[in-house]
Amino acid sequence: MTYEHSYAHSISEPVSFWQAQAEQLAWQRKPTVTLQQNADGTHRWFADGRLNSCYLALDHQIEQGRGEQLALIYDSPVTGVQQTFTYHQLRDEVARLAGLLRSLGVRKGDGVIIYMPMVPQAAMAMLACARIGAVHSVVFGGFAANELALRIEDARPTLLLTASCGLEFDRVIEYKPLVDRALQLARHQPRHVLVLQRPLVSAELQPGRDLDWQQALLGAAPVAPVELDAGDPLYIMYTSGTTGKPKGIVRENGGNAVALCYAMRHVYGMRAGDVWWGISDVGWVVGHSLIVYGPLMNGCTTVFYEGKPIRTPDASAYWRVVEQYQVNGLFCAPTAMRAIRKEDPEGALIRRHNLDSLRQLFLAGEKLDSSTHEWLERVTGKPVHDHWWQTETGWPVTAPCVGLEGSAARPGSSNRAVPGYNVQVLDDEGKPLGPNQQGAIVIALPLPPGCSQTLWGDHQRYLQAYLQSYPGYYHTGDGGYLDEDGFVYIMGRTDDVINVSGHRLSTGEMEDLVARHPAVAECAVIGVHDEIKGQVPLALVVLKDGQGIGEAQLQGELVADVREQIGALACFNRVRLVKRLPKTRSGKILRAVLRKIADGQDYTAPSTLDDPAVLGEIEGVLADLPRAG
Ligand code: AMP
């Protein structure tokens, strides 16, 4: 099947396209209705189908003869533990945990919060919920207590699962005091808190409410997967917003299973028996789609890594894992690769490892700057692919579909729309724009299976946030353009487009140029207020280790580069060196906060911020900027 053929089919006849994909799934009852459109623009996929996501991920794989194959490899350089689970072993663990959850009063449709580090029990907890039809909501471990409280309030869990601690490099983060504090803040209270005691820290348990995970499990009996409607929610995932109430993205069982089986095979080119490594955390959407459900539903072995790209113990950590487990494909965020490059610019550590098993690397989460892209291809000798998606979609919107014939990749682009996604670009009035014209990136409805169709407990907010800006389209919030061949270029959130003397310019494009400078490890370009021009760009730059270039010289060189490549109209003339950039815990640069600091406006440090101390550093560096008003 070629990419062109599949894509055309998926857009002209979505019903027959997705019906054929759904045929390949082991439903408990096959759907007879493929697509139902609702009056408000949302839709239901596979409405009368019945299935169980945990069954597809575990029991069905065993029935296919994969019981003794490794399902999950846990590698934890922070604790020194390496552990494997076959499909049989994982299924047995999950079935017993599901039995325990049920005995603690968790019923189909109930919310369950999982606030855990990257230990296999986190994946088991997700799958155990799926087995009995409970709706899990994984909250990234170590999120502050008030963030956890907000999610508890919204998801109203019957049960909260946690561990005594997580590890950040060699720093131990005790989770239980954070959970206790969150439960003091939240009005809603779960019936029980199940606590996994890790060897490093023994958490104090509150009698009656808190239970020791391992002890409680001793008396638990395994349970079978229940039958669920395709539209029943599998999980809620809160997006990493910077302010306000988090948005609870809801993922349905049916659409998710069909979409992930399609994506693993056709986008990522993975086959049953392959080893796949989704380098992320169960607290993010990637952890759901590409660490747990996607690889397991496709009979792959998933690598479950509790470590970092660097300092666990060094910048060779990823390559060690690839070689040790013969990883065939991986996903990671650009920020991780930039961290590795900063410490190992020549790839000396990479050359110590045999990467023969690896077929390609997929990167997403933010724009893959061309400098990092070229470097990564050069030092690994493997194809590196940028691809683009969102928590809301749950699986790639644009990507090279390496599992389809005729799939092409174009560096600099996040590649063409994946079958199922009708990606277009609109101007402010909602009129379609032609090739190479920059505007709002949207997806014509219907969205393919797997994409969220509502927010937990707030359908109106979903309609308002995603469907009302451009009737007939899903609004991604990203800006960019398509070239004449349909390759998509994401230039960042539409808020990251700046207006310099009436010219709309992309800070993403400038970042790409700045990142090409040999001394630059990473950078952020933001628009700051200017009395005359409205906004002007400002670049904040982190240097590679061992670079001695001064700020003035770097500024001179970068100004010349931007002038030559983008033009003097960009008014790019300010560069500041910083030690590090403020990022969310998932590695996205917090440009909105940088803008506020640069403009001297009040701001609240977002609770998603990785390390609040960085804001003080940035304030110091930018203290002398001319202020608005
Ligand atoms: P999240 O839902 O937290 O995964 O964030 C999704 C957002 O990350 C997208 O809407 C984009 O703004 C950004 N993003 C993800 N992947 C890419 C990419 N390959 N290129 C540019 N931006 C990306």
Side-chain angles (χ1 to χ4, degrees):
M1 193 65 82
T2 65
Y3 164 78
E4 268 83 9
H5 178 86
S6 295
Y7 187 73
H9 180 191
S10 75
I11 302 303
S12 62
E13 290 175 55
V15 170
S16 70
F17 181 85
W18 288 111
Q19 199 176 0
Q21 299 308 324
E23 282 291 324
Q24 299 169 32
L25 222 66
W27 298 86
Q28 279 148 330
R29 190 169 81 205
K30 281 209 164 144
T32 59
V33 186
T34 301
L35 177 63
Q36 273 180 355
Q37 310 259 14
N38 300 324
D40 62 9
T42 58
H43 35 267
R44 290 177 71 192
W45 286 101
F46 318 116
D48 60 347
R50 287 176 73 79
L51 79 170
N52 183 287
S53 296
C54 176
Y55 165 78
L56 293 175
L58 300 175
D59 309 66
H60 175 63
Q61 303 305 327
I62 296 169
E63 287 162 17
Q64 301 301 300
R66 284 190 268 284
E68 297 313 308
Q69 181 196 310
L70 291 187
L72 189 146
I73 298 172
Y74 169 54
D75 186 290
S76 170
V78 289
T79 58
V81 177
Q82 296 175 349
Q83 200 181 358
T84 58
F85 298 84
T86 63
Y87 270 97
H88 254 136
Q89 289 168 329
L90 190 59
R91 196 270 316 268
D92 291 351
E93 295 277 353
V94 168
R96 233 153 36 95
L97 182 57
L100 171 60
L101 299 193
R102 193 176 276 165
S103 73
L104 294 174
V106 181
R107 299 280 171 266
K108 173 177 176 272
D110 283 359
V112 170
I113 290 226
I114 300 172
Y115 179 70
M116 294 189 65
M118 280 295 285
V119 289
Q121 286 82 358
M124 291 169 192
M126 293 161 72
L127 290 159
C129 288
R131 197 166 185 86
I132 57 171
V135 185
H136 61 72
S137 178
V138 185
V139 178
F140 179 73
F143 248 139
N146 62 319
E147 284 298 309
L148 178 57
L150 278 175
R151 288 155 174 79
I152 292 171
E153 277 297 297
D154 199 68
R156 312 189 67 73
T158 306
L159 192 70
L160 193 152
L161 287 83
T162 190
S164 56
C165 69
L167 288 130
E168 286 271 321
F169 302 108
D170 50 2
R171 195 161 55 101
V172 175
I173 300 167
E174 291 198 34
Y175 282 11
K176 190 57 183 7
L178 296 167
V179 169
D180 290 339
R181 176 80 191 120
L183 290 175
Q184 279 167 1
L185 294 170
R187 270 166 309 167
H188 176 85
Q189 298 292 307
R191 275 193 222 159
H192 290 289
V193 176
L194 195 58
V195 185
L196 180 76
Q197 300 282 20
R198 302 189 75 184
L200 273 167
V201 172
S202 178
E204 241 179 76
L205 304 185
Q206 184 178 307
R209 188 194 70 183
D210 302 346
L211 302 167
D212 179 289
W213 186 305
Q214 296 301 354
Q215 265 176 18
L217 206 52
L218 289 177
V223 295
V226 299
E227 220 178 89
L228 298 170
D229 281 338
D232 282 337
L234 169 65
Y235 68 80
I236 311 167
M237 174 86 247
Y238 290 93
T239 50
S240 50
T242 46
T243 49
K245 195 170 160 244
K247 283 192 218 147
I249 304 296
V250 178
R251 190 90 50 221
E252 296 174 359
N253 278 280
N256 181 62
V258 174
L260 292 183
C261 288
Y262 185 80
M264 285 309 292
R265 285 183 214 148
H266 301 297
V267 176
Y268 298 107
M270 288 292 122
R271 297 177 289 264
D274 280 344
V275 180
W276 168 260
W277 187 16
I279 315 179
S280 183
D281 187 284
V282 286
W284 315 125
V285 68
V286 178
H288 292 57
S289 299
L290 295 186
I291 296 180
V292 178
Y293 293 109
L296 296 177
M297 284 177 174
N298 278 282
C300 297
T301 299
T302 186
V303 178
F304 200 91
Y305 178 70
E306 188 184 24
K308 300 277 180 193
I310 54 169
R311 288 170 52 206
T312 60
D314 59 27
S316 73
Y318 280 9
W319 318 121
R320 190 264 304 164
V321 171
V322 169
E323 178 176 14
Q324 186 169 346
Y325 305 116
Q326 295 289 293
V327 171
N328 301 117
L330 67 77
F331 170 104
C332 108
T335 181
M337 288 304 172
R338 287 197 291 262
I340 293 174
R341 181 187 183 186
K342 187 168 182 283
E343 299 207 351
D344 184 24
E346 296 313 318
L349 294 173
I350 300 175
R351 282 192 291 278
R352 289 191 206 156
H353 293 278
N354 183 329
L355 307 183
D356 283 354
S357 61
L358 191 62
R359 299 198 282 264
Q360 65 260 317
L361 300 87
F362 277 89
L363 276 80
E366 54 179 340
K367 189 172 164 56
L368 173 59
D369 61 275
S370 33
S371 169
T372 305
H373 192 161
E374 284 157 21
W375 172 82
L376 193 54
E377 280 197 330
R378 178 165 55 78
V379 294
T380 59
K382 306 285 174 184
V384 171
H385 300 310
D386 189 9
H387 69 315
W388 168 69
W389 48 301
Q390 307 181 306
T391 304
E392 289 83 343
T393 66
W395 64 290
V397 183
T398 72
C401 295
V402 305
L404 292 171
E405 281 168 41
S407 122
R410 189 166 286 185
S413 154
S414 59
N415 296 295
R416 289 183 291 189
V418 170
Y421 289 101
N422 185 350
V423 177
Q424 299 187 19
V425 182
L426 304 180
D427 70 10
D428 291 345
E429 268 105 54
K431 289 204 207 68
L433 290 168
N436 301 313
Q437 287 185 295
Q438 202 165 308
I441 302 204
V442 296
I443 304 166
L445 301 178
L447 292 170
C451 297
S452 176
Q453 292 295 305
T454 195
L455 295 177
W456 187 250
D458 200 347
H459 190 61
Q460 278 310 316
R461 192 174 173 204
Y462 175 89
L463 299 177
Q464 203 185 352
Y466 303 109
L467 300 190
Q468 283 170 3
S469 314
Y470 302 103
Y473 298 93
Y474 166 86
H475 174 55
T476 69
D478 285 336
Y481 62 94
L482 268 68
D483 68 13
E484 43 290 309
D485 301 321
F487 284 82
V488 177
Y489 295 77
I490 304 291
M491 304 316 296
R493 304 295 294 169
T494 34
D495 321 348
D496 294 333
V497 172
I498 61 169
N499 197 316
V500 183
S501 305
H503 303 292
R504 282 166 60 109
L505 297 168
S506 152
T507 51
E509 195 180 344
M510 293 182 217
E511 278 178 15
D512 201 67
L513 265 176
V514 172
R516 279 167 183 265
H517 190 285
V520 173
E522 66 176 347
C523 65
V525 177
I526 52 166
V528 296
H529 177 81
D530 183 89
E531 284 294 318
I532 297 167
K533 302 185 177 82
Q535 279 179 305
V536 288
L538 163 75
L540 299 168
V541 172
V542 180
L543 292 181
K544 282 186 193 145
D545 288 358
Q547 292 291 334
I549 190 167
E551 193 173 77
Q553 187 191 341
L554 181 70
Q555 176 167 295
E557 292 175 13
L558 291 174
V559 167
D561 288 348
V562 174
R563 204 165 272 186
E564 191 188 309
Q565 300 287 331
I566 299 178
L569 83 174
C571 296
F572 179 96
N573 53 24
R574 269 197 216 130
V575 175
R576 291 296 152 89
L577 292 183
V578 292
K579 282 208 286 284
R580 54 201 176 131
L581 291 165
K583 290 184 184 173
T584 63
R585 289 171 187 272
S586 62
K588 288 188 206 300
I589 297 168
L590 285 159
R591 294 183 181 77
V593 174
L594 286 174
R595 273 197 298 272
K596 288 209 166 120
I597 296 179
D599 284 340
Q601 292 173 6
D602 291 340
Y603 67 91
T604 36
S607 48
T608 49
L609 182 65
D610 194 28
D611 179 1
V614 63
L615 297 180
E617 294 167 22
I618 303 276
E619 278 180 24
V621 172
L622 300 184
D624 64 329
L625 285 182
R627 297 300 185 204

